Amino acid sequence: IGHVVAVEPVEDGIQRGDFAATFVDPYVVVGEFAPGAVGLAIAALDDYDLVCVHVEAPDEASHEGRADAKVEAIERMDAAIVGPIREALGTGKYGDWRILITPDHSTLLRTRAHDRAPVAWAISGAGIKPSGLTYDEVAALNGGGPFFEQGYKLMERFLDLGWDGSS
């Protein structure tokens, strides 16, 4: 059983649609990097085995063709969402844990459109060995780590506490 926190209102449809069959108590937090979004996600860790936070800002910046805005959105996401969640997980309160950071699809700056290119992803937590690999779109395109043709296979591995993050 899982929980979803969506940072932008555009994701409300996702929560009521595809995720509805999987996640039982989704929340919508209106506004880009809305205050309270990370608090809701951290609070949900007390009651749910899986918590997803969806942030649309990097994708929107790509649709606008703005590399500067994409970098800024990723930096803000790291500081305002990933960092605090990672810090909370590191307290020992939650036992074995993992965190996965990944876009839901590639959106190219040059075309401003969704693409089927591989996406970068990073995973940390219980049983995961440091890879030393770079987390960026170029590394993903050049095969800088395990590649999953179907995204659900990455999720299967993520949930398998026996997997160490290597191929």
Side-chain angles (χ1 to χ4, degrees):
I1 295 179
H3 182 82
V4 176
V5 176
V7 178
E8 284 85 12
V10 70
E11 299 314 314
D12 181 45
I14 288 176
Q15 291 185 32
R16 286 182 292 179
D18 297 342
F19 286 160
T22 307
F23 301 101
V24 291
D25 280 333
Y27 279 84
V28 174
V29 180
V30 178
E32 184 179 340
F33 296 103
V38 75
L40 286 172
I42 291 169
L45 293 170
D46 291 333
D47 300 316
Y48 296 92
D49 295 330
L50 179 66
V51 176
C52 298
V53 179
H54 190 280
V55 179
E56 190 70 14
D59 182 60
E60 292 303 315
S62 293
H63 285 299
E64 294 171 7
R66 295 193 47 215
D68 61 327
K70 184 173 184 173
V71 169
E72 179 185 346
I74 292 169
E75 289 172 345
R76 287 182 63 207
M77 184 177 67
D78 188 42
I81 297 171
V82 176
I85 291 173
R86 173 63 180 85
E87 186 176 320
L89 290 169
T91 65
K93 176 180 178 182
Y94 303 102
D96 285 344
W97 58 267
R98 287 187 172 179
I99 188 169
L100 171 66
I101 296 98
T102 183
D104 54 354
H105 54 74
S106 178
T107 304
L108 303 180
L109 286 165
R110 73 177 145 71
T111 63
R112 301 179 182 191
H114 295 166
D115 189 83
R116 295 188 51 81
V119 298
W121 54 271
I123 186 172
S124 177
I128 300 296
K129 297 186 293 189
S131 69
L133 297 172
T134 302
Y135 175 76
D136 64 28
E137 292 164 330
V138 174
L141 208 60
N142 294 329
F147 174 75
F148 298 93
E149 185 70 36
Q150 295 89 14
Y152 73 87
K153 291 187 179 185
L154 172 58
M155 183 58 82
E156 285 177 355
R157 292 281 183 93
F158 172 69
L159 295 173
D160 175 4
L161 291 180
W163 183 55
D164 68 1
S166 60
S167 52

